[in-house]
Amino acid sequence: MTTRDRLYLYDTTLRDGAQTNGIDFSLEDKILVARLLDDLGVDYVEGGYPGANPMDDAFFSEKRTSRATFTAFGMTKRAGVSVSNDPGVNASLSAASDAVCFVAKSWDYHVDVALKTTLEENLDGIRKTVEAAVAAGKEAMVDCEHFFDGYKANPDYALDCARTAHEAGARWVVLCDTNGGTLPEEVEAIVTEVTKVVPGDHLGIHAHDDTGQAVANSLAAVRAGVRQIQGTLNGIGERCGNANLTTLIPTLMLKPAYANEFEVGVSQAGLKGLTATAHAFDEILNRAPNTHQPYVGAAAFATKAGIHASAILKDPKTYEHVTPDSVGNRRRVLVSDQAGKSNLLAELDRLGVVVDKANPKLDLLLSEVKAREARGFAYEAADASFELLARRTLGTVPTFFEVSSYRVMVERRFNAIGELITVSEAVVKVKIDDETRMSVAEGNGPVNALDSALRKDIGKYQAEIETLELVDFKVRILNGGTGAVTRVLIESMDTRTGRRWMTIGVSENVVDASFEALTDSITYKLLKNGHAGR
Amino acid sequence: MTTRDRLYLYDTTLRDGAQTNGIDFSLEDKILVARLLDDLGVDYVEGGYPGANPMDDAFFSEKRTSRATFTAFGMTKRAGVSVSNDPGVNASLSAASDAVCFVAKSWDYHVDVALKTTLEENLDGIRKTVEAAVAAGKEAMVDCEHFFDGYKANPDYALDCARTAHEAGARWVVLCDTNGGTLPEEVEAIVTEVTKVVPGDHLGIHAHDDTGQAVANSLAAVRAGVRQIQGTLNGIGERCGNANLTTLIPTLMLKPAYANEFEVGVSQAGLKGLTATAHAFDEILNRAPNTHQPYVGAAAFATKAGIHASAILKDPKTYEHVTPDSVGNRRRVLVSDQAGKSNLLAELDRLGVVVDKANPKLDLLLSEVKAREARGFAYEAADASFELLARRTLGTVPTFFEVSSYRVMVERRFNAIGELITVSEAVVKVKIDDETRMSVAEGNGPVNALDSALRKDIGKYQAEIETLELVDFKVRILNGGTGAVTRVLIESMDTRTGRRWMTIGVSENVVDASFEALTDSITYKLLKNGHAGR
């Protein structure tokens, strides 16, 4: 087999993706996503814009990836200011990143109207900034903003910008379709011209989806010679989004036209974990997943048409362009249960639940899982609750405690000095062995109060839940409106061992759903501690 | 100007689109959508599959379009049965349609395994079926199923199928990428070959989005010679969807590469009404619109980055690939923590809040917005709350009602017959003018109970909030854990006018956050109704 060219994947989920209408990353979110991307196997993680806002400054106080090149975004130096005196460039270079990507103007009109400077000064800015980054020991790259529109308006100048960046020592010169309006055939033709001044293995493409062709534009650029593709997870991004890496990765790795020619940094394991990665990302942001997303969407391999079912099972290749498990997804043929049972056994095995394949209770468990999932449970996101359900159905979970009743109250009123305050109080009755205990607690909100009351006094188990801490709490309303079903996912941690687990609760009532998830969490911990219970 | 080629748009929303996971058209829905499509100006409306189900039989009992060619979907005759004895073909031909589109196998493997017949028999089926349709006075066309995979497996046979359909008198031979896995460069190359046996002006393309390239594939086919594009509104369809006509139409009509070469049946007025059409379609199906959809999405022309605002307003062409009003959409310069004063003024102007640029309270408003956004408010998602905040800060919102206190209680206990139940109850004290009213209500959960109690009795405004309905309710926990900040976004609708608006609340307490968003929603409605209040 001939040697394949290396294609580099550059993720800008945390920088360009942060511009998405409706998405705001917290610092915790960014740390989690960086880890997700690192595990996936992208080559570059552009973490944000240090110097532009306090959170990104904090994010860049340390390196957040172990394999991917941790990259800071910035801007080329302003006109009339030296590189060393430009605070933006300084912030970029002092960030704890391996690389810096500077956006630069490459459309003469923008240089004139937005920067209000000369074409030559802009080139000098590019040159000096890149040189400074290289001198500082960083991998330097330049995003040529509005490159394709700039090329159409003034091809020589656009090429000058690209060449200048390259000659100054930039590892990558990225051609950005900032407005997203360029067509694939135009991208291919223009990139071909650019490769005459900058070699393809130093060129990147940054596409947007404003004509629904960001993926096609990225691949057109690769065919014309570029070797870096910039994009985001699940295609998030300003306006219509950036090029979708979740779509590009499987296409590059599974379609012979690309897989035979190019090698990427994502491993086979990373590819198989892609569906889980895409879902985990949506969970972190509490976003409703796009069921129709190519490759990883819940419906990507689902077919309604009954006629296909048997034919598909016989030879999937005749109805599916790639196999769903190659990307960690599932075929959903809405007729048979056979796929369901084998999935279930695989899951139980993974969780260490020992069961005989012939155990009749397995069918019961399978239908229980399906019924609950129809109601809103999402067991793929809540391992601990699933394990508890499985063990209970198969008959092996002890009862550690029982909550006979609870009452939660939230009151908003004026206090004695005329201030408007809100108080939340919870009362819980818990039965352990044959003794009933009653506790009351206050909290920031109804769920916080309930959690405090639940854990205030559980008798002989008190010491063990001392180290139980709630790490995250996600609420999702399914089917809209205030009368709809609420799903609560709780992430808990044992501060002693660092072990984490997820539990879930579903109810019309957010407090009730939280209660389910909270009690599951406590039960799970006691189970794992190895108690026999009652 | 040289004569442009005519490009025909074929809409299969009501047939292939009906296969979408989660979408089911009622007869009424189909009638409404057919009218929408007719008004839009597509050339063909494929309404369904008469003979396959009773609803489609009813739909095809009369012609449902006045301009578009009303088309029935069907299948070529079965092997071993004559055309006149094939009930499927009979149903197709007796439908009240101008045209019939028959799906036919064009992949030898499928002819063998799915149809269980010979290659020659399949060709004969195609021939006889098309001839029968032509004899019946219908415009006949053939969908060559799995054409591209079929061509890759056995190019001669695939071409035979296409040629046979053409020679039998089909107006159109449609090349279908049924699995959605073909790449644009492959489509272009294969279509080029097909044009050697069937002229391009008798060829169509039917693409699916399984690699995120349905639009690119459709345009690649057009560049190679086809003159009919099949797709759906808003790209609905099985698995990852069909080619999105809502994306293709503006690209074909606004991008010179296509607009200079091709003419479509959609008028300028139809194009300007495209955003409204796309939204109306989502409304008919009660689907949450895709805010990021190209051209027509709410975010398609929205930008967060403060630096762009002044530049965009100066010369939109430098930041937008087409003008939003060309497709009936709007430019939205978002207010967010990255925004500046010019963004703020643009937003206020858009919302109809009249203010002098030099008004000193603007700085107060800007810092209030930034401070609240740092706490968790996301005003770009909550226009109504933002407008209320703006009007309050600038001093012009009347006080319609005041909630002096509320108390919400959630209790889980055993009822009289030993069942475990959860009840939620809310008590609200509201002051209107100088009168205090107290209401109690129950609900599915604490927020539902509070909403019901709040709206149970607000005196003289009661009639106006009769038509106020909660449509959606989103909860997001920021910074994790149960002691963190909760952001609640509520979408409300006036059932009388269909108008929708979004409000937001932020608090450590989910009930409190919901309370804020709920009271904003009611206040906003009363404000828009034009009340002076107190």
Side-chain angles (χ1 to χ4, degrees), chain A residues 22 109 238 318 408 410 422 512, chain B residues 303 315 318 380 408 410 422 512:
Chain A
Y109 184 80
E238 195 166 26
T318 53
V408 175
V410 176
T422 304
D512 229 9
Chain B
T303 178
D315 191 352
T318 54
E380 70 204 33
V408 175
V410 176
T422 305
D512 230 9

Side-chain angles (χ1 to χ4, degrees), chain A residues 414-420:
Chain A
F414 289 98
N415 66 6
I417 51 174
E419 295 168 320
L420 200 59

Side-chain angles (χ1 to χ4, degrees), chain B residues 33-77:
Chain B
V33 173
R35 202 172 294 156
L36 203 68
L37 292 167
D38 209 14
D39 291 343
L40 174 60
V42 298
D43 300 290
Y44 294 86
V45 170
E46 191 179 61
Y49 193 161
N53 66 79
M55 188 187 57
D56 280 349
D57 292 340
F59 190 60
F60 279 93
S61 62
E62 52 179 279
K63 186 170 149 159
R64 303 290 184 177
T65 59
S66 49
R67 290 191 288 175
T69 303
F70 192 47
T71 311
F73 179 81
M75 276 172 102
T76 51
K77 80 164 189 70

